[in-house]
Amino acid sequence: MKKLLFISLFITSTLTIAQSSQELYQDLSKNMYDVKAQTSFNMRSYNFDKLNAAEQAAHYQAIALGLDAKNSTQLRNYMLTALQICGQQKNIPQLAALLKDKEVVGKASTALATLSDLSADNHKQVSAVAIAALPKATAETVVHLIKLCSNLKIQDQKTLALIMKLSANPKTQQSSFEALANCGHEASAGKLLGSIAEKGYLRSRNLKLTLLLAQNISASKGVILTKKVMQIIKPDEVAFYLQAQSVLLDLGQKQESVLLSDLNKPSIRRAYGAANLLLVSQDQSLQKDALLKRFQDSPNAALLYLIYKRYPTSTELSPLIAQSLNSQDSFLQKQALALVSKLPAEQMIRPLLNRLFASPKNKTLISTIVSLNISISKNLHDAWKLAPSDASKVDLITIFSERRDTASAVFFFDAIASKDKKLRISAIKELKNVVQDDTNQILDLIKTASRSEQRYLINALATDLKLDDNNIALVQKRLALKQSEASLITALGQCDNSKTLALLAPYLKNENIDLRSACVKSLGSMTSLDAGKLLLQACQDKDSKIAILATRAALTLVVNSTANNELKIDFLQQLKLKAPATETQKVDDLLKKLSTPSKKKKRR
């Protein structure tokens, strides 16, 4: 509340101390594109009620001066927009005089239409202005005056007869038709109906206008006109068919039986359009029991949608959706899937799983199950034993992985032991998303896995170590047994924990060049400069390939490190002294980059 008060006071004070409306007008008369002057003038127009009497009079005077600026149509139109914002009943005669001016008649008529909405008296006065102005209109102003009559929904029969006459002129025909439809001129029904072309823009335009006219005339004649329109609507013109049905409903016609039959039409647009038209009907045929019986006789997507929309809390919905999930009708199945999230997950999980088991690899089904809340986790776990095929288990592996269900890790290890290659590799690839204190089992798998499988298992091991670094001790025991050393060294680096440095350091002096290389790469995947210190040692390895590899690994580490620039620069200076001669330029390039302030910083 205090904030709103402050803003209000700020605006008021700004209006008081800013330039006057007269001064702003002078600025605009010199440069119509003066954004600052436009913004200030607009603020005065929008906050007109906050100005004192003298300021209001000055603002109106500035507008009047702008309207008299015959040498600038842009300035005049701008002032008319201002008058549209802050105008009052007393400004109606001022605007009425401008309806003869072809340069500004458009903006003037728009401003009058806006002022007419402020009160019944305003509407009456503006209507009189429009009725008087139309017979005197010129070729340049007539379209704008017809539109003004349309906006006002003029009911004067002489004026409507004149507009009817103007509809014969191709230049004023469309604006005349729109006005006749908007004003509800019954005598124009035949003419509008006859104007509906065989195809193209004029067909769609005049179909809409004829239906609008049907809404605005008496109910009995509106029904007759709408039914005539329906006779010329083509089968593929679904939008116009639905619009016509909507008009008939608005006019009190009982169209429920027709619309209910539309729910089962091949055109899904027509079916769902019909369903939307039936959402609020009180007809007996739309009571819950009647709709449920209809669904049992003729299940379809639009009908299921309608039942849900009308009775969203009904207990009968769950069995309907379960039944629909197994339908051969793809539209009905998709609609059922779309409604699953609207109902309790516990009610939906069994039918979803049954459908998934019947049609494996259904991505929509899988994503729907993944999106369900945690309450159905036990149902998913129980489903593992019930899965009828390895393909179904692959789907469950995907679901467990995407849900990050750590309690499901046991199923992954079960799948990895499977003889089915697709199931095994799927579980290996996704294992990293569900591990939690599974270090020993992963270590056992790495020992026997193929080279391609080890890559994914290393990722899973690194994730496990990140979650609990106490498990690093288990890796240490395997290293002591010299089991899968290269793979374990890689995983230690990926977990990016300083506790692993003591285990990695000895490998920099190992006689086996492959293990030294693996250690250097592992250290390069870390982000701590402490790991970088070990790489400084490796830069002087007796094997030049290792030395180069260590230098490049150190550069990568610096780029990824979260340390501040001063520490990075200090490290790089040490690296430059120990790096092979062929690599010093790369070190210099990174030093230069870190030492040079970015362009953004320079601007600051």
Side-chain angles (χ1 to χ4, degrees):
M1 192 69 184
K2 289 181 179 178
K3 188 176 181 181
L4 290 172
L5 179 61
F6 172 76
I7 292 171
S8 178
L9 290 171
F10 173 75
I11 291 172
T12 306
S13 63
T14 301
L15 292 170
T16 304
I17 63 174
Q19 289 175 285
S20 68
S21 296
Q22 296 282 339
E23 291 170 327
L24 292 169
Y25 160 71
Q26 292 297 331
D27 290 344
L28 290 169
S29 63
K30 293 174 187 174
N31 178 14
M32 184 56 224
Y33 300 103
D34 186 333
V35 176
K36 186 177 178 182
Q38 279 194 22
T39 302
S40 297
F41 202 90
N42 289 344
M43 185 178 285
R44 284 181 166 268
S45 297
Y46 281 113
N47 294 279
F48 186 79
D49 292 342
K50 294 186 175 74
L51 301 175
N52 60 43
E55 288 172 328
Q56 288 182 349
H59 194 63
Y60 276 147
Q61 187 178 0
I63 290 174
L65 289 170
L67 292 175
D68 288 338
K70 303 294 184 184
N71 61 335
S72 175
T73 302
Q74 285 180 315
L75 180 58
R76 297 179 74 200
N77 279 318
Y78 173 79
M79 290 303 178
L80 282 168
T81 301
L83 206 53
Q84 184 180 350
I85 296 166
C86 65
Q88 298 173 348
Q89 187 174 14
K90 65 181 181 181
N91 300 112
I92 292 175
Q94 182 184 16
L95 289 166
L98 296 173
L99 293 178
K100 303 172 185 176
D101 192 328
K102 65 180 182 180
E103 301 294 338
V104 295
V105 61
K107 286 287 185 182
S109 59
T110 302
L112 280 168
T114 301
L115 293 184
S116 74
D117 292 334
L118 298 180
S119 70
D121 285 344
N122 277 19
H123 189 276
K124 185 177 179 180
Q125 188 175 346
V126 174
S127 295
V129 166
I131 290 168
L134 184 60
K136 303 172 186 176
T138 64
E140 292 88 354
T141 64
V142 65
V143 170
H144 296 290
L145 292 172
I146 292 172
K147 287 181 178 178
L148 177 58
C149 290
S150 177
N151 288 332
L152 295 167
K153 296 191 174 182
I154 293 291
Q155 295 300 305
D156 180 70
Q157 292 304 306
K158 287 185 180 180
T159 302
L160 293 173
L162 176 56
I163 295 173
M164 183 85 157
K165 187 177 179 181
L166 289 168
S167 69
N169 185 337
K171 292 183 179 178
T172 56
Q173 187 176 78
Q174 284 306 302
S175 56
S176 296
F177 282 166
E178 185 174 340
L180 292 169
N182 216 25
C183 297
H185 186 47
E186 289 186 2
S188 64
K191 192 159 191 175
L192 272 170
L193 192 63
S195 70
I196 298 172
E198 183 59 30
K199 60 182 180 179
Y201 168 75
L202 288 180
R203 177 175 177 80
S204 59
R205 174 74 172 167
N206 292 338
L207 273 170
K208 289 178 184 177
L209 291 177
T210 308
L211 289 170
L212 176 62
L213 176 63
Q215 276 186 302
N216 291 330
I217 59 180
S218 64
S220 59
K221 291 184 178 179
V223 169
I224 293 169
L225 179 58
T226 304
K227 288 183 176 179
K228 287 180 179 179
V229 172
M230 291 186 75
Q231 290 174 3
I232 60 175
I233 290 174
K234 298 174 183 178
D236 62 336
E237 293 178 321
V238 176
F240 292 124
Y241 169 81
L242 293 171
Q243 187 180 348
Q245 291 288 8
S246 177
V247 172
L248 290 173
L249 287 171
D250 289 342
L251 294 174
Q253 290 295 290
K254 303 290 286 183
Q255 294 299 112
E256 284 79 6
S257 61
V258 176
L259 291 170
L260 280 168
S261 67
D262 283 337
L263 298 178
N264 215 13
K265 294 290 183 183
S267 169
I268 201 70
R269 283 182 61 208
R270 180 163 170 172
Y272 273 91
N276 282 317
L277 291 176
L278 293 169
L279 291 180
V280 295
S281 173
Q282 298 302 312
D283 192 79
Q284 286 297 315
S285 61
L286 289 158
Q287 296 305 303
K288 184 172 68 172
D289 290 343
L291 289 178
L292 291 172
K293 184 178 184 308
R294 179 178 284 270
F295 189 86
Q296 293 305 324
D297 295 339
S298 180
N300 62 77
L303 181 52
L304 180 61
Y305 165 79
L306 177 62
I307 293 170
Y308 168 72
K309 282 299 208 178
R310 287 181 66 93
Y311 308 103
T313 60
S314 172
T315 55
E316 286 90 347
L317 270 172
S318 293
L320 285 189
I321 293 173
Q323 172 189 336
S324 302
L325 287 172
N326 294 310
S327 172
Q328 296 303 308
D329 181 342
S330 61
F331 289 114
L332 179 53
Q333 191 183 124
K334 286 178 182 177
Q335 180 60 67
L337 280 171
L339 294 178
V340 163
S341 61
K342 311 292 185 184
L343 299 175
E346 298 84 348
Q347 295 178 18
M348 287 290 98
I349 186 58
R350 287 190 180 280
L352 283 170
L353 286 170
N354 290 338
R355 182 60 192 166
L356 184 63
F357 290 162
S359 57
K361 299 182 182 179
N362 186 318
K363 291 182 179 179
T364 307
L365 267 172
I366 290 170
S367 61
T368 301
I369 294 172
V370 168
S371 68
L372 298 179
N373 61 45
I374 197 171
S375 65
I376 52 92
S377 294
K378 186 179 183 305
N379 300 85
L380 290 175
H381 296 164
D382 293 342
W384 183 260
K385 294 178 181 178
L386 302 173
S389 66
D390 288 330
S392 297
K393 288 187 174 181
V394 169
D395 288 341
L396 288 172
I397 288 292
T398 303
I399 291 168
F400 291 139
S401 172
E402 292 190 23
R403 288 172 65 87
R404 300 297 192 269
D405 185 352
T406 55
S408 70
V410 61
F411 307 126
F412 283 70
F413 293 114
D414 182 32
I416 292 169
S418 169
K419 293 180 181 180
D420 185 274
K421 290 182 180 180
K422 288 185 178 179
L423 178 56
R424 174 182 169 84
I425 194 61
S426 175
I428 288 174
K429 285 182 176 180
E430 303 295 335
L431 183 59
K432 66 178 181 179
N433 293 326
V434 298
V435 291
Q436 188 172 35
D437 287 331
D438 298 303
T439 308
N440 274 326
Q441 286 174 279
I442 300 171
L443 289 169
D444 289 338
L445 289 172
I446 289 175
K447 189 166 59 173
T448 58
S450 67
R451 192 180 186 90
S452 60
E453 291 173 340
Q454 279 188 353
R455 179 161 55 97
Y456 299 108
L457 292 170
I458 287 167
N459 293 337
L461 178 58
T463 301
D464 202 46
L465 297 178
K466 282 181 181 179
L467 293 172
D468 187 354
D469 59 13
N470 289 322
N471 291 324
I472 292 172
L474 300 175
V475 179
Q476 184 178 10
K477 290 179 181 179
R478 299 296 177 107
L479 288 172
L481 298 171
K482 301 191 181 303
Q483 292 179 353
S484 310
E485 290 175 282
S487 296
L488 302 190
I489 287 169
T490 303
L492 289 173
Q494 284 186 17
C495 79
D496 200 16
N497 189 306
S498 58
K499 288 184 178 181
T500 65
L501 295 178
L503 301 180
L504 292 172
Y507 283 98
L508 292 175
K509 298 178 182 178
N510 196 290
E511 288 300 317
N512 186 322
I513 191 170
D514 291 334
L515 293 180
R516 293 211 307 281
S517 176
C519 183
V520 167
K521 290 177 183 178
S522 181
L523 290 167
S525 67
M526 300 177 76
T527 57
S528 166
L529 290 182
D530 289 334
K533 292 174 184 177
L534 294 177
L535 286 171
L536 289 177
Q537 299 174 29
C539 288
Q540 296 180 315
D541 193 279
K542 58 186 178 182
D543 188 300
S544 61
K545 290 182 181 179
I546 296 291
I548 291 170
L549 184 64
T551 305
R552 294 178 182 179
L555 293 173
T556 301
L557 184 148
V558 170
V559 170
N560 294 329
S561 175
T562 56
N564 63 51
N565 269 17
E566 288 181 7
L567 292 174
K568 288 182 180 182
I569 289 169
D570 181 60
F571 174 79
L572 288 172
Q573 287 169 343
Q574 295 177 58
L575 178 62
K576 185 178 178 181
L577 296 174
K578 297 189 176 184
T582 57
E583 301 300 302
T584 54
Q585 184 58 51
K586 292 184 178 69
V587 180
D588 278 334
D589 290 343
L590 186 53
L591 266 170
K592 185 177 179 181
K593 187 175 181 180
L594 292 175
S595 302
T596 306
S598 66
K599 290 183 179 180
K600 286 184 179 178
K601 288 183 179 178
K602 280 184 177 180
R603 286 195 194 104
R604 287 174 188 167

